[in-house]
Amino acid sequence: MVHQLYSLPSCRGAEEERNQEADMEPRVWCLFVLLGVLFWDSSQGLRSPILTRRHRATEDKGEPPKKCSYTFLVPEQKIKGPICASRGPHTDKDRVTRLDVAVVRDLLSKQRREMETLKLVVDVDGNLVNEMKLLRKESRNMNSRVTQLYMQLLHEIIRKRDNSLELAQLEGRILNATAESLRLAARYRDLEARYSSLSALVNNQSVLIGALEERCLQVYGRRQDQHPQGPPLVQVVPENIPVSIPRFTNEIQRDHGRAFPRDRGSRSGPAPTGSTLELQKALQGNFSAEGPFRDCLQAQEAGHGTSGMYLLKPDEAERPMQVWCEQGLDNGGWTVIQSRRDGSVNFFRNWDAYKNGFGNIDGEYWLGLLGIYNLGKQADYRLLVELEDWVGKKVYAEYSSFHLEPESEGYRLRLGTYQGNAGDSLSSHNGKQFTTLDRDKDAFSGNCAHFHKGGWWYNSCGQANLNGVWYTGGVYRSKFQDGIFWADYGGGFYSMKGVRMMVRPIE
């Protein structure tokens, strides 16, 4: 009979390592096992002598001993802690230890897998925490950016509101200025109408005065040879009355510092003189010491593109002459042969003065009939007449060809066809010889130079008098039409403020 001894597991170590909150089931199980072992030992002690003798008798007879078996009903219990075992030797120690070790290994493997799973969860949670931190940081940055954008938007709204107020104020000022402009335009139209009517009245009165003077002479029986009859008056009220708004200004409109003792409507200048082109002072400003050139176009082609005084010597001229070259008008290359701008030079002169020239190159001057003749001989030229009235408006008359015949023909004028916006007041002088006070070549019974106070290609006497008296203000009062007039622009009693005559080779 084999005695199966079960060692009582020691639970002391387990109880020391187990926490107070552990489950009480292992203790109950250990107590139950202890009671079973005690019961088995007591029954074994009572039968031990009999069983010993029977065992020996059986061994003596050669019979195998009978086995005694005991069955213990132990409730199935899962191991949740350390295995409790006695320290003494036991018969089934290896079998019990392998089972327990297998269970423990399974438990350890399961716990290891759970720990790995927990590690993965912890790693994932750590990544999530880091992401949450980054998101919080980005959220804070985003909040600050949103705040900044809000402040900028608020500032922009305030600025636009201020701009709207300024725009409203500006619109108000524009409306006020527009209303004022309309009022001034209406007033200007009224003044323009009044000026036109007054100009017509002055011209008509001048005609009436002339007629009355002639009648007085007839009444008192004076002879016509003692009081020569004046030339016929030109067109009184032209279509182009110079009352337009000034469109541009130039040097003629500026107030010159020179003072000339003449009143409005009075004739200026001394008696005719025989002086030639006056000696110039030290040249200043725009002056070219190069040359001489054939004309101003050649000076321009030589690289001189600035308007100013240049030295010219036409092909057959005996000596050079100073002229003003206009390089800034209509592609440049214009040679100025006559200039009127401020009345500083007397143009009531004799034949020799008009032949050789007189005046100031940088002001008012006449180039001279001889110089104009020599210029026109070397090439085909065209003529440009530029007129400026007293309201700043400029008009022009251009002729396709221009030259003079020699002195033996009285420097007869030869013109081509007309184009421009000033009206054609020079074609009636085409083919006429030049007349001065001391050399009468006109077609009138008297001397047109005496009545018009200048030298010109008079007919009888004509529609233009650009070398006449320089009157201020435009409309002038005189017994004869002796101002600087262009009949088709202003009439015979309107004196121009500025006049220039220029020639240029035909290309």
Side-chain angles (χ1 to χ4, degrees):
M1 185 178 192
V2 179
H3 299 278
Q4 295 180 358
L5 298 178
Y6 292 92
S7 62
L8 181 63
S10 177
C11 297
R12 185 176 301 172
E15 291 177 356
E16 292 177 353
E17 297 176 359
R18 187 178 297 110
N19 295 327
Q20 293 180 357
E21 296 180 358
D23 194 358
M24 296 301 292
E25 291 181 1
R27 295 182 180 180
V28 175
W29 183 80
C30 292
L31 182 60
F32 185 78
V33 173
L34 181 59
L35 293 175
V37 172
L38 291 176
F39 177 76
W40 181 79
D41 288 337
S42 60
S43 61
Q44 186 69 25
L46 294 177
R47 292 184 179 181
S48 59
I50 299 173
L51 291 175
T52 302
R53 285 194 299 269
R54 290 181 179 177
H55 182 69
R56 290 177 180 176
T58 303
E59 290 178 352
D60 294 337
K61 293 180 179 179
E63 296 178 0
K66 296 181 179 180
K67 295 181 181 180
C68 295
S69 61
Y70 301 92
T71 302
F72 296 96
L73 297 177
V74 180
E76 186 177 357
Q77 182 73 23
K78 291 183 179 180
I79 301 174
K80 296 183 180 180
I83 300 174
C84 299
S86 61
R87 296 179 180 177
H90 295 281
T91 306
D92 297 332
K93 179 179 180 181
D94 296 334
R95 184 176 63 83
V96 174
T97 301
R98 283 195 299 269
L99 293 176
D100 293 337
V101 169
V103 174
V104 171
R105 287 179 178 175
D106 293 338
L107 182 60
L108 290 176
S109 299
K110 183 178 180 181
Q111 290 179 351
R112 189 178 296 108
R113 288 194 299 271
E114 291 179 355
M115 289 179 65
E116 294 176 355
T117 304
L118 290 176
K119 288 181 180 179
L120 294 176
V121 173
V122 169
D123 294 337
V124 174
D125 291 343
N127 295 331
L128 291 176
V129 170
N130 293 331
E131 292 179 0
M132 286 297 296
K133 290 181 180 179
L134 293 176
L135 290 176
R136 288 179 180 177
K137 184 176 181 180
E138 292 179 358
S139 177
R140 287 193 297 269
N141 296 334
M142 188 63 67
N143 290 335
S144 62
R145 179 60 178 166
V146 169
T147 303
Q148 183 181 3
L149 292 176
Y150 174 77
M151 295 303 295
Q152 292 180 356
L153 180 60
L154 183 61
H155 178 71
E156 188 69 19
I157 292 173
I158 295 174
R159 188 179 63 83
K160 287 186 176 180
R161 184 184 63 182
D162 296 339
N163 291 339
S164 300
L165 293 176
E166 293 179 358
L167 182 61
Q169 295 175 358
L170 181 60
E171 290 177 352
R173 290 196 295 268
I174 291 175
L175 292 177
N176 294 335
T178 303
E180 184 67 17
S181 299
L182 294 176
R183 186 181 66 81
L184 292 176
R187 181 172 176 80
Y188 177 81
R189 286 193 295 269
D190 296 338
L191 293 176
E192 182 179 6
R194 291 178 59 187
Y195 181 81
S196 299
S197 61
L198 290 175
S199 299
L201 179 62
V202 169
N203 290 335
N204 293 330
Q205 286 178 350
S206 299
V207 176
L208 180 60
I209 291 172
L212 290 175
E213 289 177 349
E214 182 180 358
R215 186 173 181 180
C216 289
L217 292 176
Q218 294 176 358
V219 170
Y220 287 99
R222 296 181 180 180
R223 293 179 302 174
Q224 293 185 358
D225 55 352
Q226 296 178 353
H227 300 278
Q229 184 179 1
L233 299 176
V234 299
Q235 184 178 1
V236 177
V237 183
E239 297 180 359
N240 297 328
I241 193 71
V243 293
S244 301
I245 301 175
R247 291 180 296 179
F248 52 85
T249 59
N250 61 2
E251 69 280 358
I252 297 179
Q253 291 178 278
R254 292 196 294 266
D255 186 13
H256 298 274
R258 307 170 185 174
F260 305 103
R262 69 174 53 87
D263 297 330
R264 179 183 177 89
S266 64
R267 290 186 292 273
S268 65
T273 62
S275 63
T276 58
L277 187 63
E278 301 168 359
L279 295 177
Q280 304 295 316
K281 299 179 180 179
L283 296 177
Q284 298 178 355
N286 294 332
F287 173 71
S288 175
E290 299 182 14
F293 305 100
R294 295 176 66 246
D295 51 28
C296 290
L297 180 60
Q298 189 182 41
Q300 183 190 39
E301 293 174 350
H304 300 280
T306 304
S307 300
M309 291 178 286
Y310 291 83
L311 195 64
L312 301 186
K313 187 178 182 301
D315 293 339
E316 298 183 8
E318 295 180 358
R319 57 190 178 88
M321 56 186 178
Q322 289 181 351
V323 300
W324 185 272
C325 292
E326 179 57 53
Q327 308 290 14
L329 179 67
D330 191 17
N331 298 324
W334 293 96
T335 303
V336 180
I337 62 176
Q338 186 252 24
S339 176
R340 305 295 301 274
R341 65 172 64 181
D342 53 17
S344 59
V345 176
N346 179 25
F347 273 68
F348 193 22
R349 309 222 179 189
N350 58 17
W351 178 265
D352 290 336
Y354 271 99
K355 175 183 176 180
N356 298 307
F358 55 87
N360 303 313
I361 300 301
D362 59 343
E364 291 193 343
Y365 78 96
W366 173 262
L367 181 60
L369 294 170
L370 181 59
I372 298 173
Y373 168 72
N374 290 329
L375 274 175
K377 236 184 0 176
Q378 60 186 357
D380 294 330
Y381 284 80
R382 56 193 174 110
L383 173 66
L384 176 64
V385 180
E386 182 185 66
L387 307 171
E388 182 183 9
D389 58 30
W390 285 87
V391 294
K393 182 179 179 181
K394 286 186 178 181
V395 294
Y396 74 97
E398 184 175 355
Y399 296 88
S400 59
S401 63
F402 168 82
H403 72 275
L404 300 181
E405 293 185 359
E407 186 178 8
S408 60
E409 295 293 328
Y411 294 112
R412 194 183 304 273
L413 176 64
R414 296 300 181 184
L415 290 175
T417 58
Y418 159 82
Q419 66 174 358
N421 59 356
D424 184 10
S425 295
L426 193 59
S427 292
S428 61
H429 300 263
N430 188 22
K432 305 304 175 183
Q433 298 183 27
F434 199 85
T435 296
T436 60
L437 184 64
D438 57 341
R439 188 170 296 188
D440 187 4
K441 299 290 183 178
D442 57 52
F444 184 59
S445 58
N447 190 336
C448 292
H450 168 73
F451 294 103
H452 290 293
K453 303 297 184 295
W456 196 250
W457 296 277
Y458 291 114
N459 186 354
S460 151
C461 285
Q463 302 292 312
N465 187 40
L466 301 186
N467 288 335
V469 180
W470 191 85
Y471 288 104
T472 61
V475 178
Y476 63 94
R477 172 73 176 88
S478 178
K479 182 178 180 180
F480 304 106
Q481 294 174 330
D482 54 2
I484 305 174
F485 68 84
W486 188 269
D488 287 274
Y489 187 80
F493 284 100
Y494 187 91
S495 183
M496 295 294 167
K497 182 179 181 180
V499 176
R500 286 197 303 177
M501 298 176 64
M502 300 170 279
V503 295
R504 187 180 191 275
I506 300 174
E507 297 177 357

